[in-house]
Amino acid sequence: MAEEVILIMEDENNNNNNNSNHNNISVSVVIVGAGPSGIATSALLNSVSVSNLVLEKEDCCGSLWKNRSYDRLNLHLAKSFCSLPMMSHPFRTSIFMSKDDFIRYLDEYVARFNVNPRYCSDVEEAVYDEEEGKWRVTVKDTASGTVYEIASDFLVVATGENSQPFLPSDLPGMETFPGKVVHSSDYKNGAVFKDEKVLVIGCGNSGMEISNDLADNGAHTSIVVRSQIHVLSKEMVGIGMLLSNYLPLKIVDKFVSLLAKLSYSDLSSYGIHRPVEGPFLFKALTGKTPVIDRGTIEKIRSKKIQVFPDVASINQKTVEFKDGKRRCFDAIVLATGYKSVAHKWLKDYKFLLTDDGKPKGKYPNHWKGEKGVYCVGLTGKGLPGIFKDSKAVTEDIYQLTLMAQK
């Protein structure tokens, strides 16, 4: 196993305030990101004695969960589908775990499997050195300002699909809006919006749940539904995932769609339209997850939450929608999702990713690129996908490491 080479490019006396010295480390694998993807991969590599270093730009593991999620967030899948390798969820937690319970799980996972991320470590670039046959990763210690370089045999991209908030550019006049504009990553709860007229743009799980939270906290809430969506209960999703292990997707979709129609009937009169494809096929084709209803639909039916089509234009506080209706708002919440930015720092990203940061390989072989670069958690399959990806990546690196030692 090759020894890692680290070059300090600035003052060697600058030390990371929460990590050991940058030099004299022997490692085979660099993992970028200390979310569920990164810590799962590190834990598995530790279990087979493959040395690895996890680099995380924030000051904690699971920063999306700890710093960029709203208070009432719960897992949208049953906990049996959401564990990381080698550690199931505690029996005492609810089936659909709260954010706080999942954060405790992540912290316990890191401690149990001796995962030691190097925090405040922002990866500026990673390039493949053809001559040396190694990945060279340039890292900035944001605590001290030190910039250093790591050379490793393998590189794992584990920064996830939620690296950076996505801010839509197709909202004409948004710059004229004088009220508060918040991305869902900065939204905590609706208490500060009480009695205000709030427009939520985005109808995924975050948008629907934030709308529900705003209405519960006394805000006059509206939501923009710009695309077709499936609405299911969490129990329906659980049934579908269980059945998909035994039945063709087409049959599962028919059964789950029937349950949805019986429970929610036709929502088109409220501005919510179902895709032609069933919920699980639609997810496979587009990456769009069904909306898990936790009370939002009832509020839409009772008019506590108003539904509008896409935004046509914004002029000061007045928003005009594509059906010609106009309404005034005090605040806008952008529940428009996130995007991966791995292809920006991974200079040789074409060994692994497309131009928009998606895996180049087709599922289920998407996790492996060329020249020893891998990705975990970039397929839109959530925690179940992370479970499978991390195991596949670890097994491949382990086998290659064994071959190199012979």
Side-chain angles (χ1 to χ4, degrees), residues 149-185:
E149 184 182 276
I150 307 172
S152 65
D153 298 315
F154 304 101
L155 176 67
V156 179
V157 178
T159 47
E161 298 169 293
N162 301 324
S163 302
Q164 187 178 92
F166 174 73
L167 302 175
S169 57
D170 57 346
L171 297 172
M174 185 67 172
E175 69 281 359
T176 71
F177 185 74
K180 189 173 184 179
V181 178
V182 180
H183 188 270
S184 58
S185 59

Coordinates of all heavy atoms in Angstrom, one line a residue, residues 149-185:
E149 N -1.2 19.6 0.1 CA -1.5 18.7 -1.0 C -1.4 17.2 -0.4 O -0.5 16.9 0.3 CB -0.6 18.9 -2.2 CG -0.9 17.9 -3.3 CD 0.0 18.1 -4.5 OE1 -0.2 19.0 -5.3 OE2 1.0 17.3 -4.6
I150 N -2.3 16.4 -0.8 CA -2.3 15.0 -0.4 C -2.3 14.2 -1.7 O -3.0 14.5 -2.7 CB -3.6 14.6 0.3 CG1 -3.8 15.5 1.5 CG2 -3.5 13.1 0.8 CD1 -5.1 15.3 2.2
A151 N -1.4 13.1 -1.7 CA -1.4 12.2 -2.8 C -1.9 10.9 -2.3 O -1.5 10.4 -1.3 CB 0.0 12.1 -3.4
S152 N -2.9 10.3 -3.1 CA -3.5 9.0 -2.6 C -3.7 8.1 -3.8 O -3.8 8.5 -5.0 CB -4.8 9.2 -1.9 OG -5.7 9.8 -2.7
D153 N -3.8 6.8 -3.5 CA -4.1 5.8 -4.6 C -5.6 5.9 -5.0 O -5.8 5.6 -6.2 CB -3.8 4.4 -4.0 CG -2.4 4.2 -3.6 OD1 -1.5 4.7 -4.4 OD2 -2.1 3.7 -2.5
F154 N -6.5 6.1 -4.1 CA -7.9 6.1 -4.4 C -8.5 7.4 -3.9 O -8.1 8.0 -2.9 CB -8.6 4.9 -3.8 CG -8.0 3.6 -4.2 CD1 -7.2 2.9 -3.3 CD2 -8.3 3.0 -5.4 CE1 -6.6 1.7 -3.6 CE2 -7.7 1.8 -5.7 CZ -6.9 1.1 -4.8
L155 N -9.6 7.8 -4.6 CA -10.3 9.0 -4.3 C -11.8 8.7 -4.3 O -12.3 8.1 -5.2 CB -10.0 10.1 -5.2 CG -10.8 11.5 -5.0 CD1 -10.4 12.1 -3.7 CD2 -10.6 12.4 -6.2
V156 N -12.5 9.0 -3.2 CA -14.0 8.7 -3.1 C -14.7 10.1 -3.0 O -14.5 10.8 -2.0 CB -14.3 7.8 -1.9 CG1 -15.8 7.6 -1.8 CG2 -13.6 6.5 -2.0
V157 N -15.6 10.4 -3.9 CA -16.4 11.6 -3.9 C -17.7 11.2 -3.0 O -18.5 10.5 -3.5 CB -16.8 12.0 -5.3 CG1 -17.7 13.2 -5.2 CG2 -15.6 12.3 -6.1
A158 N -17.7 11.8 -1.8 CA -18.9 11.5 -0.9 C -19.5 12.8 -0.5 O -20.0 12.9 0.7 CB -18.4 10.7 0.3
T159 N -19.5 13.8 -1.3 CA -20.1 15.1 -0.9 C -21.6 15.2 -1.2 O -22.2 16.2 -0.8 CB -19.4 16.2 -1.8 OG1 -19.3 15.9 -3.1 CG2 -18.0 16.5 -1.3
G160 N -22.1 14.2 -1.8 CA -23.6 14.1 -1.9 C -24.2 15.0 -3.0 O -23.5 15.8 -3.6
E161 N -25.5 14.9 -3.1 CA -26.2 15.6 -4.1 C -26.7 17.0 -3.5 O -27.3 17.8 -4.3 CB -27.4 14.8 -4.6 CG -27.0 13.5 -5.2 CD -28.2 12.6 -5.5 OE1 -28.8 12.1 -4.5 OE2 -28.5 12.4 -6.6
N162 N -26.5 17.2 -2.2 CA -27.0 18.4 -1.6 C -25.9 19.3 -1.1 O -25.9 19.9 0.0 CB -27.9 18.0 -0.4 CG -29.0 17.1 -0.8 OD1 -29.6 17.3 -1.8 ND2 -29.4 16.1 0.0
S163 N -24.9 19.4 -2.0 CA -23.7 20.2 -1.6 C -24.0 21.7 -1.5 O -23.5 22.4 -0.6 CB -22.6 20.0 -2.6 OG -22.2 18.7 -2.7
Q164 N -24.8 22.2 -2.4 CA -25.0 23.7 -2.5 C -26.5 24.0 -2.9 O -27.0 23.3 -3.7 CB -24.1 24.2 -3.6 CG -24.1 25.7 -3.7 CD -23.1 26.2 -4.8 OE1 -23.5 26.4 -6.0 NE2 -21.8 26.4 -4.4
P165 N -27.1 24.9 -2.2 CA -28.5 25.3 -2.5 C -28.6 25.7 -4.0 O -27.8 26.4 -4.5 CB -28.8 26.5 -1.6 CG -27.8 26.3 -0.4 CD -26.6 25.7 -1.0
F166 N -29.7 25.2 -4.6 CA -30.0 25.6 -6.0 C -30.9 26.8 -6.0 O -32.0 26.8 -5.4 CB -30.6 24.5 -6.7 CG -31.1 24.8 -8.1 CD1 -30.1 25.0 -9.1 CD2 -32.4 25.0 -8.4 CE1 -30.5 25.4 -10.4 CE2 -32.8 25.4 -9.7 CZ -31.9 25.6 -10.7
L167 N -30.5 27.9 -6.6 CA -31.3 29.1 -6.6 C -31.7 29.3 -8.1 O -30.9 29.5 -9.0 CB -30.4 30.3 -6.2 CG -29.9 30.2 -4.8 CD1 -29.0 31.4 -4.5 CD2 -31.0 30.1 -3.7
P168 N -33.0 29.2 -8.3 CA -33.5 29.3 -9.7 C -33.3 30.6 -10.3 O -33.4 31.7 -9.7 CB -35.0 29.0 -9.5 CG -35.4 29.4 -8.1 CD -34.1 29.1 -7.3
S169 N -33.0 30.6 -11.6 CA -32.7 31.8 -12.4 C -33.9 32.2 -13.3 O -33.9 33.2 -14.0 CB -31.5 31.7 -13.3 OG -31.7 30.6 -14.2
D170 N -35.0 31.4 -13.2 CA -36.2 31.6 -14.1 C -37.3 32.3 -13.3 O -38.5 31.9 -13.5 CB -36.6 30.3 -14.7 CG -37.0 29.2 -13.7 OD1 -36.6 29.4 -12.5 OD2 -37.6 28.2 -14.0
L171 N -37.0 33.2 -12.4 CA -38.1 34.0 -11.7 C -37.9 35.4 -12.0 O -37.3 36.2 -11.3 CB -37.9 33.7 -10.2 CG -38.1 32.3 -9.7 CD1 -37.8 32.2 -8.2 CD2 -39.5 31.8 -9.9
P172 N -38.5 35.9 -13.1 CA -38.3 37.3 -13.6 C -38.8 38.3 -12.6 O -39.9 38.2 -12.0 CB -39.2 37.3 -14.8 CG -39.4 35.9 -15.3 CD -39.4 35.1 -14.0
G173 N -37.9 39.2 -12.3 CA -38.2 40.3 -11.3 C -37.9 40.0 -9.9 O -38.2 40.7 -9.0
M174 N -37.3 38.8 -9.6 CA -37.0 38.4 -8.3 C -36.2 39.4 -7.5 O -36.3 39.7 -6.3 CB -36.3 37.1 -8.3 CG -36.0 36.5 -6.9 SD -37.6 36.0 -6.1 CE -37.0 35.1 -4.6
E175 N -35.3 40.1 -8.3 CA -34.4 41.1 -7.7 C -35.2 42.3 -7.1 O -34.7 43.1 -6.3 CB -33.4 41.5 -8.7 CG -33.8 42.4 -9.8 CD -34.5 41.6 -11.0 OE1 -34.6 40.3 -10.8 OE2 -34.9 42.2 -12.0
T176 N -36.4 42.5 -7.6 CA -37.2 43.7 -7.1 C -38.0 43.4 -5.8 O -38.5 44.3 -5.2 CB -38.3 44.1 -8.2 OG1 -39.3 43.1 -8.3 CG2 -37.6 44.3 -9.5
F177 N -38.0 42.1 -5.4 CA -38.8 41.7 -4.2 C -38.2 42.3 -3.0 O -37.0 42.0 -2.7 CB -38.9 40.2 -4.1 CG -39.8 39.7 -3.0 CD1 -41.2 39.9 -3.1 CD2 -39.3 39.2 -1.8 CE1 -42.1 39.4 -2.1 CE2 -40.1 38.8 -0.8 CZ -41.5 38.9 -1.0
P178 N -38.9 43.1 -2.2 CA -38.3 43.8 -1.0 C -38.4 43.0 0.3 O -37.7 43.3 1.2 CB -39.2 45.1 -0.9 CG -40.5 44.6 -1.4 CD -40.3 43.6 -2.5
G179 N -39.1 41.9 0.3 CA -39.3 41.1 1.5 C -38.2 40.1 1.7 O -37.2 40.1 1.0
K180 N -38.4 39.3 2.7 CA -37.4 38.3 3.1 C -37.4 37.1 2.1 O -38.5 36.6 1.8 CB -37.6 37.8 4.5 CG -36.5 36.9 5.1 CD -36.7 36.6 6.5 CE -35.5 35.9 7.1 NZ -35.7 35.6 8.6
V181 N -36.3 36.7 1.6 CA -36.1 35.6 0.7 C -35.2 34.6 1.4 O -34.1 34.9 1.7 CB -35.6 35.9 -0.7 CG1 -35.4 34.7 -1.5 CG2 -36.5 37.0 -1.4
V182 N -35.7 33.4 1.7 CA -35.0 32.3 2.4 C -35.0 31.1 1.6 O -36.0 30.6 1.1 CB -35.7 32.1 3.8 CG1 -34.9 31.0 4.5 CG2 -35.8 33.3 4.6
H183 N -33.8 30.5 1.5 CA -33.7 29.1 0.9 C -34.1 28.1 2.0 O -33.8 28.4 3.2 CB -32.3 28.8 0.3 CG -32.3 27.5 -0.5 ND1 -31.9 26.3 0.1 CD2 -32.5 27.3 -1.8 CE1 -32.0 25.4 -0.8 NE2 -32.3 25.9 -1.9
S184 N -34.6 27.0 1.6 CA -35.0 26.0 2.6 C -33.9 25.5 3.5 O -34.1 25.1 4.6 CB -35.6 24.8 1.9 OG -34.7 24.2 1.0
S185 N -32.6 25.6 3.0 CA -31.5 25.3 3.8 C -31.3 26.2 5.0 O -30.6 25.8 6.0 CB -30.2 25.3 2.9 OG -30.0 26.6 2.4

